[in-house]
């Protein structure tokens, strides 16, 4: 868990308060913003971070490419969700991630966890009812039932998720097959 990104807005306007109008305050807030963004972006796998550019004014992490609705895509799901799973943790079943305009977020393509909130918003649930969104929301591996959490999720280079437990099992099976065929060749 990262206390700095969990449910607390870090945008310049909030950090500086409603009176953050002077150039000095703005500059100070922006440095804090950039530092926070740099640290967190660096803790993402390159396959995610290279799709994100930080907007200096809003602090938004603008992801690409985006789908018709303006959300950044990643694998079969959305990039903001993948980033959240990576930096913050799981999303309880039935809940969704919502962009927070009132926290300074300016774009649906934004992936910065500090601009996102886990919510039950009905509007968001309806919006997220597409096949890819449903697929990305699956909380467990369809083959072995292991949870798609921070520890068991493997991100393939194309951004799709895989289950570490299943990857390990496939590797074991592959090695076992190879040993068997080597023995047969030697006989
Ligand atoms: Zn944002
Ligand atoms: Zn599995």
């Amino acid at each position: 868990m990262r206390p700095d990104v969990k449910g607390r807005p870090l945008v310049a306007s909030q950090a500086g308060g409603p009176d953050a109008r002077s150039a000095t305050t703005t500059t100070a807030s922006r440095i804090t913003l950039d530092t926070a963004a740099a640290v967190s972006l660096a803790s993402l796998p390159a396959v995610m971070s290279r799709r994100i550019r930080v907007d200096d004014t809003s602090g938004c992490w603008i992801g690409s490419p985006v789908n018709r609705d303006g959300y950044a895509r990643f694998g079969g799901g959305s990039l903001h969700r993948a980033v959240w799973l990576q930096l913050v943790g799981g999303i309880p079943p039935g809940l969704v991630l919502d962009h927070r305009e009132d926290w300074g977020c300016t774009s649906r393509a934004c992936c910065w966890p500090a601009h996102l909130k886990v919510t039950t918003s009905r509007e968001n649930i309806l919006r997220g009812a597409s096949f890819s969104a449903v697929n990305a929301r699956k909380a467990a591996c369809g083959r072995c039932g292991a949870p798609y959490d921070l520890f068991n999720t493997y991100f393939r280079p194309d951004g799709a998720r895989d289950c570490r437990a299943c990857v390990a099992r496939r590797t074991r099976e592959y090695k076992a097959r190879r040993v068997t065929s080597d023995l047969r060749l030697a006989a």
Side-chain angles (χ1 to χ4, degrees), residues 141 143-146 152 163 165-166:
C141 169
R143 286 179 295 267
C144 75
N152 192 47
C163 163
C166 282

Side-chain angles (χ1 to χ4, degrees), residues 11 58-62 99-100 104-107 110-112 115:
V11 294
S58 62
C60 286
W61 289 10
I62 304 297
H99 288 93
R100 297 300 302 254
C105 193
T106 60
S107 170
C110 177
C111 305
W112 195 22
H115 278 176

Side-chain angles (χ1 to χ4, degrees), residues 1-13:
M1 285 293 169
R2 301 173 55 86
D4 55 330
V5 294
K6 191 164 179 294
R8 196 162 54 86
L10 293 175
V11 294
S13 55

